[in-house]
Amino acid sequence: IRSRYSLLPYIYTGFYDASISGIPLMRPLWSEYPNDKKTYDIEDEYLLGSSLLVKPISQPGQTSTSVYFPNDSKGWYDIVSLNFYGNVGNIVNVEAPLSKIPVYQRAGSIIPRKERARRSSTQMENDPYTLIIALDSEQQAYGELYYDDGISFDYKESKNNHRYFRFKNNQILSGSIDGKNNFMESSVLIERIVILGLTKPISTATIAQQGFEFSTNIISSTSENGEPVYTIKKPNTLAAYDWRIDLQ
């Protein structure tokens, strides 16, 4: 339940996309990877949006399972262990203890999360965001965040924010997708940015927003398999406004 709650910003963005495109949030693998014929017969995995792959555990006492990673993808990261699976187009055996549902984030995606434990989604409204940046082999990633007041139809009157996040050339950018016509004031911050799959080490982040600029150290750690993980703590960028972070 906590994992699902933490993903509500991503899920809410996905439902907004579904309302525009008509493509459901929960979708079969072949809808995103039609050239991979192996996905046509897979009925025990599904995609949640374009960036999360889920393999439900449906048998009692089951502690492991097999996961197929689509051939046209660029790899997947376990959202718990942060381990990378680059062996696409193949079936991989993974552990699935009672405490974990196998869920994987697509390489090349950025997912917004809210990590603080709350009793309801309404209590999460002013909680800060965490961005999980999962880089692909080209060291790039892209993601979006949509939010409104969550209760009214004011979003139809342009009271909403639809933002993009882009990682390229060791720079993270955030900007508006809808332009200045759609804007909803918000003081919610981004309190943490986690970067997966970076091939060259970094130690400093320079953050620029609304004419202000400052630098902070980057924390280095590893996934369960020893792959590098970099974390920017408290960049304190406002989610509603444009900003830039340069990494060195």
Side-chain angles (χ1 to χ4, degrees), residues 81-85 222-228:
S81 70
L82 306 182
N83 293 336
F84 178 66
Y85 294 86
T222 61
S223 68
E224 288 186 2
N225 281 350
E227 296 149 348

Side-chain angles (χ1 to χ4, degrees), residues 59-123:
Q59 298 298 322
Q62 187 175 353
T63 58
S64 64
T65 188
S66 58
V67 180
Y68 178 75
F69 296 111
N71 191 37
D72 290 340
S73 62
K74 297 181 179 181
W76 299 82
Y77 295 85
D78 186 305
I79 69 167
V80 176
S81 70
L82 306 182
N83 293 336
F84 178 66
Y85 294 86
N87 192 18
V88 297
N90 293 283
I91 295 175
V92 179
N93 293 320
V94 299
E95 295 183 357
L98 185 62
S99 60
K100 176 184 178 181
I101 297 174
V103 181
Y104 303 90
Q105 180 174 342
R106 177 179 55 81
S109 67
I110 301 176
I111 288 184
R113 301 174 62 132
K114 288 194 173 184
E115 301 284 1
R116 298 186 182 181
R118 299 295 188 187
R119 294 182 179 179
S120 69
S121 59
T122 55
Q123 293 180 320

Side-chain angles (χ1 to χ4, degrees), residues 157-160 176 178-183:
E157 305 300 325
S158 301
K159 292 184 179 180
N160 63 70
S176 174
D178 297 326
K180 296 182 179 179
N181 292 330
N182 288 10
F183 183 77

Side-chain angles (χ1 to χ4, degrees), residues 143-145 147 161-165 174-177 239-242:
E144 297 182 7
L145 169 66
Y147 63 90
N161 271 338
H162 193 187
R163 312 288 304 172
Y164 72 81
F165 306 108
S174 176
S176 174
I177 293 177
Y241 294 87
D242 295 354

Side-chain angles (χ1 to χ4, degrees), residues 51 74 77 105-111 132-144 164-173 194-198:
S51 299
K74 297 181 179 181
Y77 295 85
Q105 180 174 342
R106 177 179 55 81
S109 67
I110 301 176
I111 288 184
I132 309 297
I133 301 177
L135 298 179
D136 60 18
S137 58
E138 298 176 350
Q139 299 289 277
Q140 297 183 24
Y142 178 86
E144 297 182 7
Y164 72 81
F165 306 108
R166 179 178 288 113
F167 186 106
K168 186 178 182 180
N169 297 327
N170 271 19
Q171 185 181 77
I172 311 169
L173 290 176
V194 179
I195 305 170
L196 310 175
L198 197 60

